[in-house]
Amino acid sequence: MLITRRVEFSASHRCAVEGWSEEENRRVFGEDANPYGHGHNYVLEVTIGGDVDSVTGMIIDLKEVKQILNEEVVEVMDHRYLNAEVPPFDKQVPTSENVVREIWRRLQPRFASPQAHLHSIRLYETEQIYVDYAGS
């Protein structure tokens, strides 16, 4: 069985490769290479898989899921300039793909029990753009 919890956070970033010219960054990343950065209201959906406990009727306590998401994602990324305030984005381009992979890295150890495991995550950068990730 699968259950999904959604959280939101706002963050800004700039997509640019260190050492590339401004022209090359704009060619590859378009407006996302703006030197002043730009922001998003991200929506993160985290799906947990597991067996339903016969006593509680739940896979996992959703209050616990909310607390973990707040600790590992919201408190770390909300209202932050990812490039400067959230490692590894001081050394890695904070594309949606890289952000979702970093969120997975942070969450996976917290949901690694046989009863409840991290199944997949979806990160919406905009209403039209999202990335799905299920680990590797």
Side-chain angles (χ1 to χ4, degrees):
M1 178 126 2
L2 303 173
I3 191 162
T4 301
R5 174 79 194 203
R6 177 184 281 201
V7 295
E8 299 179 13
F9 64 97
S10 298
S12 62
H13 67 145
R14 177 179 188 233
C15 292
V17 174
E18 186 76 27
W20 284 11
S21 69
E22 203 59 42
E23 294 76 28
E24 182 70 4
N25 277 309
R26 285 217 182 255
R27 186 185 68 73
V28 173
F29 297 108
E31 292 182 12
D32 287 353
N34 177 345
Y36 302 105
H38 63 281
H40 297 284
N41 294 317
Y42 291 95
V43 176
L44 175 65
E45 296 176 347
V46 176
T47 301
I48 308 298
D51 294 327
V52 176
D53 182 274
S54 62
V55 176
T56 66
M58 301 185 295
I59 296 170
I60 190 169
D61 183 345
L62 289 175
K63 290 186 302 292
E64 178 184 349
V65 174
K66 181 180 179 181
Q67 179 179 343
I68 291 169
L69 296 180
N70 282 333
E71 290 172 3
E72 298 293 344
V73 179
V74 177
E75 292 173 9
V76 174
M77 297 185 184
D78 192 33
H79 292 89
R80 301 284 192 264
Y81 180 52
L82 299 178
N83 301 66
E85 298 179 76
V86 182
F89 304 120
D90 53 339
K91 295 178 177 59
Q92 183 182 78
V93 180
T95 60
S96 294
E97 296 90 335
N98 282 337
V99 172
V100 81
R101 192 169 33 207
E102 174 61 14
I103 291 171
W104 179 277
R105 187 192 69 74
R106 291 170 178 269
L107 294 178
Q108 197 280 327
R110 303 287 303 267
F111 298 108
S113 73
Q115 295 78 26
H117 61 276
L118 190 57
H119 177 269
S120 61
I121 58 178
R122 174 175 282 181
L123 180 68
Y124 287 87
E125 183 176 274
T126 69
E127 288 184 12
Q128 296 80 30
I129 299 171
Y130 64 86
V131 178
D132 288 323
Y133 191 68
S136 53

Tab-separated table of all heavy atoms in Angstrom, residues 4-5 11 16 20 25 29 34 38 41 45 71 77 93 98 118:
chain	number	residue	atom	x	y	z
A	4	THR	N	0.635	9.134	0.498
A	4	THR	CA	1.416	10.299	0.081
A	4	THR	C	1.102	11.492	0.965
A	4	THR	O	-0.056	11.751	1.274
A	4	THR	CB	1.108	10.644	-1.397
A	4	THR	OG1	1.435	9.512	-2.213
A	4	THR	CG2	1.905	11.857	-1.856
A	5	ARG	N	2.145	12.215	1.319
A	5	ARG	CA	2.034	13.449	2.108
A	5	ARG	C	2.622	14.576	1.266
A	5	ARG	O	3.652	14.407	0.620
A	5	ARG	CB	2.802	13.293	3.423
A	5	ARG	CG	2.904	14.521	4.279
A	5	ARG	CD	1.644	14.749	5.047
A	5	ARG	NE	1.644	16.089	5.605
A	5	ARG	CZ	0.931	16.431	6.639
A	5	ARG	NH1	0.154	15.560	7.231
A	5	ARG	NH2	0.958	17.662	7.083
A	11	ALA	N	11.665	28.740	-2.330
A	11	ALA	CA	13.118	28.903	-2.382
A	11	ALA	C	13.497	29.559	-3.698
A	11	ALA	O	12.756	29.487	-4.683
A	11	ALA	CB	13.815	27.550	-2.243
A	16	ALA	N	23.195	27.790	-13.239
A	16	ALA	CA	24.365	28.225	-13.991
A	16	ALA	C	25.540	27.346	-13.593
A	16	ALA	O	25.645	26.929	-12.441
A	16	ALA	CB	24.680	29.694	-13.703
A	20	TRP	N	31.435	28.769	-16.666
A	20	TRP	CA	30.885	29.029	-17.998
A	20	TRP	C	30.652	30.525	-18.155
A	20	TRP	O	30.413	31.240	-17.176
A	20	TRP	CB	29.551	28.323	-18.189
A	20	TRP	CG	29.632	26.854	-18.438
A	20	TRP	CD1	30.711	26.037	-18.322
A	20	TRP	CD2	28.540	26.022	-18.824
A	20	TRP	NE1	30.361	24.752	-18.604
A	20	TRP	CE2	29.029	24.703	-18.924
A	20	TRP	CE3	27.196	26.253	-19.083
A	20	TRP	CZ2	28.228	23.635	-19.289
A	20	TRP	CZ3	26.391	25.187	-19.445
A	20	TRP	CH2	26.911	23.892	-19.556
A	25	ASN	N	25.728	29.969	-20.167
A	25	ASN	CA	24.707	29.650	-19.174
A	25	ASN	C	23.316	30.034	-19.675
A	25	ASN	O	22.365	29.273	-19.516
A	25	ASN	CB	25.013	30.326	-17.838
A	25	ASN	CG	25.994	29.521	-17.020
A	25	ASN	OD1	25.812	28.329	-16.813
A	25	ASN	ND2	27.044	30.169	-16.561
A	29	PHE	N	20.494	27.305	-19.928
A	29	PHE	CA	19.472	27.395	-18.877
A	29	PHE	C	18.420	28.479	-19.118
A	29	PHE	O	17.460	28.579	-18.342
A	29	PHE	CB	20.135	27.634	-17.512
A	29	PHE	CG	21.031	26.519	-17.089
A	29	PHE	CD1	22.409	26.675	-17.093
A	29	PHE	CD2	20.514	25.301	-16.672
A	29	PHE	CE1	23.251	25.645	-16.690
A	29	PHE	CE2	21.339	24.260	-16.269
A	29	PHE	CZ	22.714	24.437	-16.278
A	34	ASN	N	19.504	33.754	-14.838
A	34	ASN	CA	19.500	35.137	-14.371
A	34	ASN	C	20.481	35.286	-13.204
A	34	ASN	O	20.364	34.583	-12.206
A	34	ASN	CB	18.083	35.509	-13.936
A	34	ASN	CG	17.968	36.901	-13.365
A	34	ASN	OD1	18.945	37.543	-13.023
A	34	ASN	ND2	16.748	37.361	-13.255
A	38	HIS	N	15.990	33.478	-9.155
A	38	HIS	CA	14.539	33.563	-9.252
A	38	HIS	C	13.959	32.550	-8.274
A	38	HIS	O	14.654	31.641	-7.827
A	38	HIS	CB	14.061	33.296	-10.681
A	38	HIS	CG	14.388	31.913	-11.150
A	38	HIS	ND1	15.642	31.553	-11.585
A	38	HIS	CD2	13.634	30.803	-11.203
A	38	HIS	CE1	15.650	30.265	-11.905
A	38	HIS	NE2	14.441	29.777	-11.680
A	41	ASN	N	7.602	28.460	-5.680
A	41	ASN	CA	6.831	27.880	-4.592
A	41	ASN	C	6.748	26.389	-4.895
A	41	ASN	O	5.883	25.952	-5.657
A	41	ASN	CB	5.440	28.520	-4.502
A	41	ASN	CG	5.524	29.970	-4.117
A	41	ASN	OD1	6.290	30.343	-3.238
A	41	ASN	ND2	4.749	30.800	-4.779
A	45	GLU	N	5.650	16.055	-2.950
A	45	GLU	CA	4.802	14.925	-2.576
A	45	GLU	C	5.704	13.736	-2.285
A	45	GLU	O	6.515	13.349	-3.130
A	45	GLU	CB	3.823	14.585	-3.690
A	45	GLU	CG	2.833	15.684	-3.966
A	45	GLU	CD	1.920	15.397	-5.146
A	45	GLU	OE1	2.196	14.451	-5.920
A	45	GLU	OE2	0.921	16.126	-5.292
A	71	GLU	N	11.699	18.708	9.181
A	71	GLU	CA	13.104	18.710	9.614
A	71	GLU	C	14.074	18.607	8.439
A	71	GLU	O	15.101	19.295	8.418
A	71	GLU	CB	13.354	17.533	10.570
A	71	GLU	CG	12.700	17.678	11.914
A	71	GLU	CD	12.794	16.413	12.758
A	71	GLU	OE1	13.431	15.424	12.326
A	71	GLU	OE2	12.219	16.413	13.865
A	77	MET	N	15.236	24.213	3.460
A	77	MET	CA	15.150	24.866	2.147
A	77	MET	C	14.178	26.038	2.061
A	77	MET	O	14.301	26.862	1.153
A	77	MET	CB	14.783	23.826	1.089
A	77	MET	CG	15.829	22.757	0.928
A	77	MET	SD	15.425	21.632	-0.415
A	77	MET	CE	16.768	20.464	-0.257
A	93	VAL	N	24.512	22.508	-9.612
A	93	VAL	CA	23.435	23.330	-10.159
A	93	VAL	C	22.106	22.862	-9.557
A	93	VAL	O	21.763	21.685	-9.633
A	93	VAL	CB	23.382	23.225	-11.697
A	93	VAL	CG1	22.257	24.094	-12.253
A	93	VAL	CG2	24.720	23.620	-12.319
A	98	ASN	N	18.261	17.861	-9.633
A	98	ASN	CA	19.233	17.770	-8.542
A	98	ASN	C	18.586	18.026	-7.182
A	98	ASN	O	18.960	17.404	-6.189
A	98	ASN	CB	20.399	18.736	-8.779
A	98	ASN	CG	21.372	18.195	-9.803
A	98	ASN	OD1	21.464	16.999	-10.041
A	98	ASN	ND2	22.115	19.092	-10.418
A	118	LEU	N	10.517	4.659	1.881
A	118	LEU	CA	10.341	5.714	0.889
A	118	LEU	C	10.139	5.058	-0.471
A	118	LEU	O	11.005	4.339	-0.962
A	118	LEU	CB	11.564	6.634	0.896
A	118	LEU	CG	11.482	7.915	0.101
A	118	LEU	CD1	10.295	8.771	0.536
A	118	LEU	CD2	12.776	8.693	0.233
